[in-house]
Amino acid sequence: MNLEMLMQKYQKNLSEMDWMILGYILENEQEVMGLSIVELGEKVHSSKSSILRLTKKLGFSGYSEFKYFMRQSKQNQTNLATANLIELQAKDIDNTVKLAQQTNFSLLSQALQKANTVYCYATGYSQRKVVEELSKMLMLCDKRSIVIPVKTELDISMSMISKEDIVLFVSLSGETDEIKENILSLNARKIPVVAITAFSHNFFAEHAQFSYFYYSTPFTISGKNHIAQSLVGLSVLVDIIFRKYVTYLNNEFEERM
């Protein structure tokens, strides 16, 4: 368990101020581990009592226990950075599965069953390949599914999408600016939106009726300036979503028999 997973677990209890404080902590982990609760409050322009309440919302007895947790998490991250790449892959898969085990998929399964059409859009080429596989699998369940390949076609399709449909967005960051207007338009029209992103507090997830997260740890290539990032966690999560949907359909079928 790390701080990001705790944030996901208790996200419904967190206020905007809590998210702001946690954002600062994530960006300045090393510094925060050396700060007192009063000093951290000064850094984030918040009170000692606000930070104490935040730590308790995350399940800690107080700030001292929270800092101990942070130090342990940092050590785990350091160990991860020196691990081999196969271990990094296993960690992404394991964290994605653990997060999924804490997540309720039943409402999404119900929404998918009721939807006339599932519209799917991915913000990158690699994500789109995963979405295309999901679309094929949904069609095995006699669910009409359409993959929208580019932003121009998404804009054209907007007028055809209705409340009886559902729109699924897959992204790494969940912060693609050119798509935000589409999501806000769908929100205004009460059309269900699903966001599947790498774990973070992001725009897509915040404005979706259904939000699901995967893990993707970047790694460097020796002698190169490039950073690689695998989407194996995304593939695992999408497969879980499909299996949960099939399980839901199977249970519905058995109840009717």
Side-chain angles (χ1 to χ4, degrees):
M1 182 73 73
N2 55 28
L3 182 56
E4 289 93 341
M5 292 180 74
L6 283 180
M7 290 162 63
Q8 164 65 9
K9 182 177 180 180
Y10 296 108
Q11 63 174 316
K12 292 183 179 179
N13 300 329
L14 301 177
S15 66
E16 285 300 317
M17 175 60 74
D18 292 333
W19 283 108
M20 184 275 292
I21 295 172
L22 289 166
Y24 180 88
I25 292 172
L26 287 173
E27 292 176 4
N28 304 274
E29 290 184 55
Q30 194 63 47
E31 175 195 11
V32 169
M33 283 186 281
L35 297 177
S36 68
I37 190 170
V38 173
E39 290 170 332
L40 177 57
E42 291 174 352
K43 293 285 186 180
V44 297
H45 308 291
S46 186
S47 66
K48 172 183 174 180
S49 58
S50 294
I51 295 173
L52 185 59
R53 282 195 299 271
L54 170 58
T55 62
K56 291 186 175 182
K57 287 180 183 179
L58 295 174
F60 301 102
S61 61
Y63 184 65
S64 296
E65 186 180 0
F66 172 74
K67 285 215 301 183
Y68 175 78
F69 169 82
M70 291 293 293
R71 284 193 293 270
Q72 291 298 109
S73 295
K74 187 66 175 177
Q75 182 61 49
N76 291 340
Q77 289 174 10
T78 300
N79 293 339
L80 190 61
T82 59
N84 67 48
L85 298 184
I86 301 303
E87 290 173 346
L88 285 179
Q89 179 194 58
K91 196 72 175 179
D92 280 344
I93 294 171
D94 186 49
N95 283 338
T96 298
V97 171
K98 284 181 178 177
L99 199 56
Q101 289 172 341
Q102 301 172 17
T103 304
N104 186 342
F105 292 88
S106 60
L107 292 178
L108 174 61
S109 295
Q110 292 175 26
L112 288 172
Q113 183 191 38
K114 292 178 181 177
N116 288 337
T117 302
V118 180
Y119 290 90
C120 305
Y121 183 87
T123 59
Y125 175 80
S126 298
Q127 294 95 318
R128 188 164 69 248
K129 301 306 290 184
V130 178
V131 163
E132 288 172 352
E133 287 302 311
L134 174 61
S135 180
K136 291 176 184 177
M137 290 189 290
L138 288 174
M139 286 190 284
L140 291 175
C141 301
D142 296 325
K143 177 56 59 179
R144 186 169 184 259
S145 178
I146 297 175
V147 177
I148 303 173
V150 294
K151 164 71 160 127
T152 302
E153 292 190 22
L154 174 62
D155 292 338
I156 293 172
S157 302
M158 290 292 288
S159 62
M160 297 185 289
I161 301 172
S162 74
K163 293 179 182 179
E164 284 69 45
D165 302 318
I166 191 168
V167 187
L168 187 149
F169 291 93
V170 175
S171 172
L172 184 60
S173 68
E175 292 288 347
T176 308
D177 287 334
E178 64 178 8
I179 305 303
K180 292 179 180 179
E181 60 181 349
N182 298 95
I183 293 177
L184 290 176
S185 175
L186 293 168
N187 286 170
R189 295 166 56 197
K190 308 295 185 184
I191 296 172
V193 171
V194 182
I196 300 176
T197 69
F199 185 89
S200 67
H201 180 58
N202 63 74
F203 183 92
F204 283 23
E206 186 178 350
H207 292 83
Q209 286 68 52
F210 307 96
S211 302
Y212 301 96
F213 302 95
Y214 60 92
Y215 277 79
S216 177
T217 305
F219 54 89
T220 58
I221 302 173
S222 298
K224 306 290 183 182
N225 293 323
H226 305 303
I227 295 178
Q229 195 154 14
S230 169
L231 294 179
V232 63
L234 170 60
S235 296
V236 169
L237 176 58
V238 166
D239 189 60
I240 290 172
I241 289 172
F242 177 68
R243 289 170 186 266
K244 291 286 187 178
Y245 178 56
V246 172
T247 300
Y248 174 82
L249 294 179
N250 289 345
N251 290 339
E252 288 280 297
F253 178 79
E254 291 175 4
E255 288 178 4
R256 291 195 300 268
M257 295 299 289

Short mmCIF file of all heavy atoms in Angstrom, two decimals, residues 6 10 37 48-49 51-69:
data_model
loop_
_atom_site.label_atom_id
_atom_site.label_comp_id
_atom_site.label_asym_id
_atom_site.label_seq_id
_atom_site.Cartn_x
_atom_site.Cartn_y
_atom_site.Cartn_z
N LEU A 6 -3.91 4.81 -0.99
CA LEU A 6 -4.73 5.32 0.12
C LEU A 6 -5.64 6.44 -0.37
O LEU A 6 -6.81 6.53 0.04
CB LEU A 6 -3.84 5.84 1.25
CG LEU A 6 -3.18 4.79 2.16
CD1 LEU A 6 -2.33 5.49 3.21
CD2 LEU A 6 -4.23 3.92 2.83
N TYR A 10 -9.75 6.26 -0.03
CA TYR A 10 -10.52 7.20 0.78
C TYR A 10 -10.92 8.46 0.01
O TYR A 10 -11.24 9.48 0.62
CB TYR A 10 -9.71 7.60 2.01
CG TYR A 10 -9.41 6.45 2.95
CD1 TYR A 10 -8.13 5.92 3.05
CD2 TYR A 10 -10.42 5.87 3.72
CE1 TYR A 10 -7.85 4.86 3.91
CE2 TYR A 10 -10.15 4.81 4.58
CZ TYR A 10 -8.86 4.31 4.66
OH TYR A 10 -8.60 3.27 5.51
N ILE A 37 4.49 19.04 11.66
CA ILE A 37 3.13 19.30 11.19
C ILE A 37 2.88 20.80 11.03
O ILE A 37 2.18 21.23 10.10
CB ILE A 37 2.08 18.65 12.14
CG1 ILE A 37 0.69 18.71 11.52
CG2 ILE A 37 2.12 19.30 13.52
CD1 ILE A 37 -0.34 17.90 12.29
N LYS A 48 -2.61 23.32 11.39
CA LYS A 48 -2.18 22.06 11.98
C LYS A 48 -3.36 21.09 12.10
O LYS A 48 -3.23 19.91 11.79
CB LYS A 48 -1.56 22.32 13.35
CG LYS A 48 -1.23 21.08 14.16
CD LYS A 48 -0.68 21.45 15.53
CE LYS A 48 -0.49 20.22 16.40
NZ LYS A 48 0.05 20.58 17.75
N SER A 49 -4.50 21.62 12.52
CA SER A 49 -5.68 20.75 12.71
C SER A 49 -6.17 20.19 11.38
O SER A 49 -6.65 19.05 11.32
CB SER A 49 -6.80 21.53 13.41
OG SER A 49 -7.17 22.67 12.66
N ILE A 51 -4.32 19.40 8.74
CA ILE A 51 -3.42 18.31 8.36
C ILE A 51 -3.66 17.09 9.23
O ILE A 51 -3.66 15.95 8.75
CB ILE A 51 -1.96 18.78 8.45
CG1 ILE A 51 -1.71 19.88 7.41
CG2 ILE A 51 -1.00 17.61 8.21
CD1 ILE A 51 -0.37 20.54 7.51
N LEU A 52 -3.90 17.32 10.51
CA LEU A 52 -4.19 16.20 11.41
C LEU A 52 -5.46 15.48 11.00
O LEU A 52 -5.52 14.24 10.97
CB LEU A 52 -4.31 16.71 12.85
CG LEU A 52 -4.49 15.64 13.94
CD1 LEU A 52 -3.31 14.67 13.93
CD2 LEU A 52 -4.65 16.29 15.30
N ARG A 53 -6.50 16.25 10.63
CA ARG A 53 -7.75 15.62 10.16
C ARG A 53 -7.51 14.82 8.90
O ARG A 53 -8.08 13.73 8.72
CB ARG A 53 -8.81 16.70 9.92
CG ARG A 53 -9.48 17.22 11.19
CD ARG A 53 -10.75 17.99 10.85
NE ARG A 53 -10.49 19.16 10.02
CZ ARG A 53 -10.20 20.36 10.50
NH1 ARG A 53 -10.15 20.56 11.81
NH2 ARG A 53 -9.99 21.37 9.69
N LEU A 54 -6.66 15.34 8.01
CA LEU A 54 -6.36 14.65 6.77
C LEU A 54 -5.69 13.30 7.05
O LEU A 54 -6.07 12.28 6.45
CB LEU A 54 -5.45 15.50 5.88
CG LEU A 54 -4.85 14.82 4.65
CD1 LEU A 54 -5.93 14.26 3.74
CD2 LEU A 54 -3.95 15.80 3.89
N THR A 55 -4.71 13.28 7.94
CA THR A 55 -4.03 12.01 8.24
C THR A 55 -5.01 10.99 8.81
O THR A 55 -4.92 9.80 8.52
CB THR A 55 -2.86 12.23 9.23
OG1 THR A 55 -3.36 12.74 10.47
CG2 THR A 55 -1.84 13.18 8.65
N LYS A 56 -5.97 11.46 9.59
CA LYS A 56 -6.96 10.54 10.17
C LYS A 56 -7.94 10.04 9.11
O LYS A 56 -8.41 8.90 9.17
CB LYS A 56 -7.69 11.22 11.32
CG LYS A 56 -6.77 11.43 12.53
CD LYS A 56 -7.51 11.99 13.74
CE LYS A 56 -6.58 12.08 14.95
NZ LYS A 56 -7.25 12.56 16.16
N LYS A 57 -8.25 10.89 8.13
CA LYS A 57 -9.09 10.45 7.02
C LYS A 57 -8.43 9.31 6.25
O LYS A 57 -9.11 8.47 5.66
CB LYS A 57 -9.36 11.62 6.07
CG LYS A 57 -10.33 12.66 6.59
CD LYS A 57 -10.52 13.77 5.55
CE LYS A 57 -11.41 14.89 6.05
NZ LYS A 57 -11.58 15.96 5.04
N LEU A 58 -7.07 9.31 6.25
CA LEU A 58 -6.33 8.28 5.53
C LEU A 58 -6.07 7.04 6.38
O LEU A 58 -5.39 6.11 5.94
CB LEU A 58 -5.00 8.86 5.04
CG LEU A 58 -5.10 9.98 4.00
CD1 LEU A 58 -3.72 10.57 3.72
CD2 LEU A 58 -5.74 9.50 2.71
N GLY A 59 -6.61 7.05 7.62
CA GLY A 59 -6.51 5.87 8.46
C GLY A 59 -5.38 5.85 9.46
O GLY A 59 -5.12 4.82 10.10
N PHE A 60 -4.68 6.99 9.64
CA PHE A 60 -3.57 7.06 10.58
C PHE A 60 -4.03 7.66 11.91
O PHE A 60 -5.00 8.41 11.97
CB PHE A 60 -2.42 7.89 10.01
CG PHE A 60 -1.88 7.35 8.72
CD1 PHE A 60 -2.22 7.94 7.50
CD2 PHE A 60 -1.03 6.25 8.71
CE1 PHE A 60 -1.74 7.43 6.30
CE2 PHE A 60 -0.54 5.74 7.52
CZ PHE A 60 -0.89 6.32 6.31
N SER A 61 -3.28 7.33 12.97
CA SER A 61 -3.62 7.87 14.29
C SER A 61 -3.20 9.33 14.41
O SER A 61 -3.73 10.06 15.24
CB SER A 61 -2.93 7.05 15.39
OG SER A 61 -1.52 7.10 15.24
N GLY A 62 -2.26 9.75 13.59
CA GLY A 62 -1.78 11.13 13.64
C GLY A 62 -0.68 11.38 12.64
O GLY A 62 -0.37 10.50 11.80
N TYR A 63 -0.06 12.54 12.72
CA TYR A 63 0.96 12.95 11.74
C TYR A 63 2.22 12.10 11.85
O TYR A 63 2.85 11.78 10.82
CB TYR A 63 1.28 14.42 11.95
CG TYR A 63 2.24 14.99 10.93
CD1 TYR A 63 1.91 15.08 9.58
CD2 TYR A 63 3.50 15.46 11.33
CE1 TYR A 63 2.79 15.61 8.66
CE2 TYR A 63 4.39 15.99 10.42
CZ TYR A 63 4.04 16.06 9.08
OH TYR A 63 4.92 16.59 8.17
N SER A 64 2.60 11.71 13.06
CA SER A 64 3.81 10.91 13.24
C SER A 64 3.70 9.56 12.54
O SER A 64 4.63 9.11 11.86
CB SER A 64 4.09 10.70 14.73
OG SER A 64 4.37 11.92 15.37
N GLU A 65 2.55 8.92 12.69
CA GLU A 65 2.33 7.63 12.02
C GLU A 65 2.31 7.81 10.50
O GLU A 65 2.82 6.97 9.75
CB GLU A 65 1.02 6.99 12.49
CG GLU A 65 0.82 5.59 11.95
CD GLU A 65 -0.48 4.95 12.41
OE1 GLU A 65 -1.24 5.59 13.17
OE2 GLU A 65 -0.73 3.80 12.01
N PHE A 66 1.74 8.92 10.05
CA PHE A 66 1.70 9.22 8.62
C PHE A 66 3.12 9.37 8.07
O PHE A 66 3.45 8.84 7.01
CB PHE A 66 0.90 10.50 8.37
CG PHE A 66 0.96 10.99 6.95
CD1 PHE A 66 0.26 10.34 5.94
CD2 PHE A 66 1.71 12.11 6.62
CE1 PHE A 66 0.32 10.78 4.62
CE2 PHE A 66 1.78 12.56 5.30
CZ PHE A 66 1.08 11.90 4.31
N LYS A 67 4.00 10.09 8.79
CA LYS A 67 5.37 10.29 8.33
C LYS A 67 6.14 8.96 8.31
O LYS A 67 6.96 8.72 7.42
CB LYS A 67 6.11 11.31 9.19
CG LYS A 67 5.69 12.75 8.91
CD LYS A 67 6.85 13.73 9.05
CE LYS A 67 7.46 13.69 10.43
NZ LYS A 67 8.55 14.70 10.55
N TYR A 68 5.88 8.11 9.29
CA TYR A 68 6.53 6.80 9.29
C TYR A 68 6.11 6.01 8.05
O TYR A 68 6.93 5.36 7.39
CB TYR A 68 6.15 6.02 10.55
CG TYR A 68 6.69 4.61 10.57
CD1 TYR A 68 8.02 4.36 10.88
CD2 TYR A 68 5.85 3.53 10.25
CE1 TYR A 68 8.51 3.06 10.88
CE2 TYR A 68 6.34 2.23 10.25
CZ TYR A 68 7.67 2.00 10.57
OH TYR A 68 8.15 0.72 10.55
N PHE A 69 4.82 6.07 7.73
CA PHE A 69 4.31 5.41 6.53
C PHE A 69 5.00 5.96 5.28
O PHE A 69 5.37 5.20 4.39
CB PHE A 69 2.80 5.63 6.44
CG PHE A 69 2.19 5.23 5.13
CD1 PHE A 69 1.86 3.90 4.87
CD2 PHE A 69 1.93 6.17 4.14
CE1 PHE A 69 1.29 3.53 3.66
CE2 PHE A 69 1.37 5.82 2.93
CZ PHE A 69 1.05 4.48 2.69
#
